[in-house]
Amino acid sequence: MLSKRTWIVAVVFFLLLILVSVFSNNNTPKPYPPYLVDSPAPLGVKGLYTYLDQNNYQVDDSDVLPNTEKTGELRFLIEPPIYSDNSVEQHYLEYIEAGNTLILAKQNPDSLFGIETEYAMETFLMEEDEVSEISHQFETFEVLHQNPYRIISDENDQILLEDELGPIGIERKIGKGSLIILSAPDWFTNDQITRHQHLNALCEVIPFQEAETIIFDEYSLTASGGTVSKFELYPDWAYILLVQGTILAIFILWHQGKRFGPIIPVREETVRLSDERLKALAIWQLKGKNFQPSLENQLEYLKEVIRSRYGIPYHKSWQDRLKSMEGRMTSIPAKKIHSIAAGFETISQQESLNKQEYLKWSEIIDKIRQEVEAE
């Protein structure tokens, strides 16, 4: 028979073994940055990479800048940042001019490689996962595209894909090569590539057959390629002066008697001025705390009125909400819409308001509400 002590040791050892196995077994999925070729995650592009590889295309991935001396390459640049290092963008332009094709897939490619975009407000009226039709020459494709940005094409650009709101993809000749811009980076991902007719549309506009080598560019995906640290924007002496100036300002304010804490009134002052007039003023100030909740209720009701009239969702910011109503309001000038939207967002975050602010913003809210309800 085993002794009682042996049983206790065995049970403790068994419990320790269970605890070690629980904490050592990590079931957390491995995180992948989006648009990597080896990522099986929904935002990866492993599906497209594997499809091209299995169809005998010469495919590869690269995390360095391209060689400007090579020609005949087709290079994917999916959702890159706006390069703060201008030399990186210039390097890609030289690469295109040498006779290569660069596929730039970015939701809003504005200010990148001289591209300009415009905002299509009509996309706010689209339902979630609503399928739309796009056209390429005489063909049409059913795709999922709710990106509000549309590319502004030049007279020398060739429009590859467009819908009723404007161009989605264009081709621009640069030197001996070409730059193809697509404002639908999600179509390349594992989650979207086989949905609807995304793959058909991509194969129709991207010249896979003409490329000697297809490269998936990961230069800016795995590191901060092409971007400059915020501490490198200015010389070191500027940051030193900023820190020293801040410390000096604190000491000057301290020397002048400024105190960074609550102001406690002197008891003698309170007793001396404690009359009926001050009590009435104090009661009015206490009631004034209801200004903020009252204004919040007015803003919430205005959201509901705008949603009922124009179908603009609650989750939109005031900037987007009023901008979409810009052509429909006559009581407020268009140039004041931005400042009014910013004011709405500011007062929503304030803890209290005075009477003057309350009356000012209530009048503005009433004007907008009355005009919306009158339509």
Side-chain angles (χ1 to χ4, degrees):
M1 293 291 293
L2 295 176
S3 63
K4 183 177 180 181
R5 181 179 179 182
T6 303
W7 278 108
I8 294 174
V9 172
V11 171
V12 171
F13 177 77
F14 185 70
L15 292 175
L16 287 175
L17 186 62
I18 293 176
L19 290 175
V20 170
S21 62
V22 168
F23 287 104
S24 62
N25 185 18
N26 187 8
N27 293 323
T28 304
K30 180 181 178 181
Y32 287 95
Y35 309 113
L36 291 183
V37 297
D38 60 345
S39 170
L43 289 180
V45 294
K46 186 175 182 179
L48 178 59
Y49 183 91
T50 304
Y51 169 80
L52 296 173
D53 186 39
Q54 292 178 350
N55 283 273
N56 299 322
Y57 289 99
Q58 185 67 33
V59 292
D60 199 359
D61 61 300
S62 174
D63 57 0
V64 297
L65 287 173
N67 187 350
T68 56
E69 296 180 358
K70 289 188 176 182
T71 60
E73 288 185 348
L74 187 148
R75 197 177 193 90
F76 283 101
L77 195 59
I78 305 177
E79 202 61 52
I82 300 297
Y83 299 115
S84 53
D85 187 355
N86 293 331
S87 63
V88 174
E89 184 172 330
Q90 185 60 36
H91 189 95
Y92 279 109
L93 289 174
E94 293 175 0
Y95 172 75
I96 300 172
E97 291 173 353
N100 299 289
T101 301
L102 183 67
I103 311 295
L104 173 62
K106 188 172 176 64
Q107 185 176 20
N108 183 16
D110 192 80
S111 302
L112 196 60
F113 300 113
I115 304 166
E116 295 181 353
T117 61
E118 59 184 357
Y119 207 79
M121 300 301 300
E122 292 82 351
T123 54
F124 283 112
L125 303 177
M126 297 177 63
E127 298 181 0
E128 187 177 358
D129 294 335
E130 181 179 342
V131 178
S132 56
E133 280 193 354
I134 61 173
S135 61
H136 168 69
Q137 296 177 357
F138 301 105
E139 295 185 72
T140 59
F141 302 96
E142 291 186 350
V143 297
L144 181 64
H145 187 70
Q146 296 181 324
N147 184 2
Y149 298 100
R150 294 298 181 270
I151 305 169
I152 300 176
S153 60
D154 296 336
E155 57 181 7
N156 296 324
D157 295 338
Q158 179 184 357
I159 298 179
L160 301 178
L161 294 171
E162 63 179 339
D163 60 4
E164 58 183 7
L165 302 180
I168 297 172
I170 66 170
E171 181 177 5
R172 180 172 296 176
K173 296 295 182 180
I174 301 177
K176 298 179 181 179
S178 61
L179 172 66
I180 296 178
I181 305 106
L182 296 171
S183 61
D186 293 343
W187 294 356
F188 295 85
T189 62
N190 300 330
D191 183 50
Q192 297 281 340
I193 187 68
T194 57
R195 295 181 63 183
H196 306 293
Q197 293 181 298
H198 295 165
L199 183 59
N200 296 342
L202 293 177
C203 291
E204 192 66 32
V205 299
I206 298 177
F208 291 113
Q209 303 288 347
E210 302 174 8
E212 298 176 5
T213 307
I214 300 174
I215 306 292
F216 285 79
D217 193 306
E218 298 181 347
Y219 174 65
S220 58
L221 298 180
T222 56
S224 59
T227 57
V228 179
S229 171
K230 57 184 177 181
F231 296 108
E232 297 179 7
L233 295 176
Y234 303 99
D236 294 339
W237 58 264
Y239 294 103
I240 295 174
L241 286 179
L242 177 63
V243 174
Q244 290 180 342
T246 303
I247 296 174
L248 181 61
I250 293 174
F251 277 111
I252 291 175
L253 292 174
W254 200 350
H255 182 266
Q256 291 180 349
K258 305 296 182 183
R259 294 296 180 266
F260 306 99
I263 300 175
I264 302 176
V266 182
R267 182 177 179 277
E268 294 179 359
E269 176 184 346
T270 305
V271 174
R272 181 171 57 87
L273 299 177
S274 179
D275 55 14
E276 293 299 324
R277 182 176 59 85
L278 277 180
K279 289 181 179 179
L281 185 62
I283 293 173
W284 183 85
Q285 291 286 358
L286 289 174
K287 291 183 177 180
K289 293 182 179 179
N290 293 326
F291 289 155
Q292 178 67 20
S294 173
L295 211 56
E296 288 180 358
N297 292 337
Q298 293 182 54
L299 288 174
E300 289 297 320
Y301 181 72
L302 182 58
K303 286 182 183 178
E304 173 61 24
V305 173
I306 294 174
R307 186 197 65 80
S308 301
R309 179 66 62 181
Y310 302 122
I312 300 176
Y314 267 100
H315 63 83
K316 297 296 181 182
S317 65
W318 280 109
Q319 292 285 357
D320 295 338
R321 183 177 289 108
L322 295 185
K323 189 174 181 182
S324 63
M325 299 167 54
E326 184 174 342
R328 303 169 178 170
M329 290 191 297
T330 57
S331 60
I332 298 177
K335 60 183 180 181
K336 290 187 177 181
I337 287 179
H338 176 75
S339 60
I340 290 175
F344 283 172
E345 295 175 354
T346 301
I347 61 177
S348 298
Q349 298 174 359
Q350 290 182 356
E351 295 181 359
S352 61
L353 293 172
N354 57 39
K355 186 176 181 180
Q356 289 75 15
E357 291 176 329
Y358 174 78
L359 294 175
K360 169 190 171 183
W361 289 109
S362 292
E363 183 179 0
I364 294 174
I365 293 172
D366 284 340
K367 282 184 179 180
I368 299 176
R369 178 184 57 78
Q370 291 171 6
E371 187 166 351
V372 173
E373 290 178 342
E375 290 186 7

